[in-house]
Amino acid sequence: MLSTDALLAELEPTAATLLERHLASAKEWFPHDLVPWSRGRDFEAGYEWDPSEVELSDEVRSALFVNLLTEDNLPYYFRTIEGMFGRDSAWGTWARRWTAEEGRHSIVIRDYLTVTRAIDPVQLERARMAQVECGQVPEPETALDGFAYVALQELATRIAHHNTGKLLDDKAGYDVMKRVASDENRHHIFYRDLVSAALELEPSGMVCAIERQVRTFEMPGTGIIDFDAHAKAIAKAGIYDFAAHHDQILVPVVLRHWGVESLTGLDAEAEQARAALVKRIERIGKAGRRFAARRAEHPERELATVS
Ligand SMILES: [Fe+2]
Ligand SMILES: [Fe+2]
């Protein structure tokens, strides 16, 4: 098994190529272009938010709240990524470019929400203070775990942003969320292909890391006030649930793109991990279908979780 330093050194040319591809495909965009400023007005002193100002379900408000607070937690994601990759070479350049791109996400979503008054600005700001003061983010134990986690997480975030946008029933809001989602997709592709390279270099270690990360995967949001209740609401609205996790992440990425079922040359531990991983994916798929059916029958019920 390679040391972390050796692994990063071996994969540095891949990171450089993926970074170049990322930069070459980047299209510059500006948050201010997407915000419907003419719909805004001053908040008078003592303003109290009234949910009836904007017709929006509680579930979609939950999604906007969690999506934005997760973006607000960027300082701690940066800390983890920089700690994992270091400051030098293509790794450091990637970490900083990624950070600069992520920074725009909270800017554009917050400006949109402030102008449209879609959620309570006071509650939102208090929650941001609490979230950033607490500074919790997942901290994968190894670089391979980190690769797997961010590959899954960027795609999950893309799906959540995009589905939230679709439910806003507002062209400007949809465009904001779609724009952010498309950045997340490009981040995902960087990490997804990094995992493919790591699978060639260190197949057993990478498979074990994928298994661990799928087993413990959670949408980002720990540390957000009332996160569990929001996560349930988000699942209930079909914005991010087991079915999406299975059908749009685990099957297309883990099974199809990384081809974990057909990898050869795994050691005994990785063989075991692969078997457990494939079984877990099946279970998540079944749970997704069950919950979706139950939701269709009893939309008022809360969702259970799969472990
Ligand atoms: Fe983001
Ligand atoms: Fe991202």
Side-chain angles (χ1 to χ4, degrees), residues 96-291:
R96 290 186 293 276
R97 168 75 194 196
W98 172 86
T99 304
E101 291 185 8
E102 289 290 352
R104 275 205 283 257
H105 297 171
S106 53
I107 293 172
V108 73
I109 298 174
R110 173 164 287 96
D111 284 350
Y112 170 76
L113 293 177
T114 306
V115 161
T116 60
R117 307 185 178 216
I119 62 179
D120 182 351
V122 173
Q123 187 208 9
L124 180 63
E125 179 57 13
R126 287 186 179 145
R128 190 193 66 80
M129 286 296 290
Q131 155 91 345
V132 179
E133 279 181 62
C134 127
Q136 263 183 44
V137 285
E139 300 198 39
E141 274 179 31
T142 70
L144 294 177
D145 282 86
F147 298 167
Y149 174 73
V150 286
L152 301 173
Q153 193 251 321
E154 291 280 4
L155 182 53
T157 311
R158 177 218 173 181
I159 292 166
H161 283 320
H162 194 214
N163 287 342
T164 304
K166 285 195 274 192
L167 291 173
L168 281 174
D169 201 17
D170 174 31
K171 168 90 170 68
Y174 175 72
D175 288 347
V176 164
M177 300 313 282
K178 196 177 97 181
R179 185 62 256 185
V180 174
S182 120
D183 270 7
E184 311 297 17
N185 194 47
R186 295 172 59 255
H187 299 159
H188 159 68
I189 286 168
F190 177 95
Y191 291 125
R192 178 197 69 187
D193 293 351
L194 190 60
V195 169
S196 295
L199 277 169
E200 280 181 27
L201 188 68
E202 189 91 83
S204 294
M206 193 63 244
V207 165
C208 290
I210 294 171
E211 191 277 325
R212 280 192 294 273
Q213 293 306 312
V214 168
R215 176 163 24 105
T216 56
F217 186 81
E218 277 184 349
M219 274 303 276
T222 36
I224 292 178
I225 293 170
D226 294 332
F227 176 66
D228 289 346
H230 289 297
K232 277 182 187 152
I234 289 166
K236 196 171 153 196
I239 291 169
Y240 197 85
D241 58 6
F242 286 123
H245 190 56
H246 176 266
D247 300 350
Q248 296 178 57
I249 298 188
L250 300 177
V251 170
V253 178
V254 178
L255 296 184
R256 246 182 267 140
H257 199 90
W258 292 336
V260 292
E261 285 169 299
S262 54
L263 292 170
T264 51
L266 300 183
D267 63 21
E269 192 194 346
E271 285 289 0
Q272 252 183 18
R274 164 162 64 186
L277 173 63
V278 171
K279 226 168 152 188
R280 180 171 301 276
I281 293 176
E282 263 169 41
R283 274 217 317 271
I284 294 173
K286 270 191 206 148
R289 288 188 291 278
R290 205 168 58 233
F291 291 148

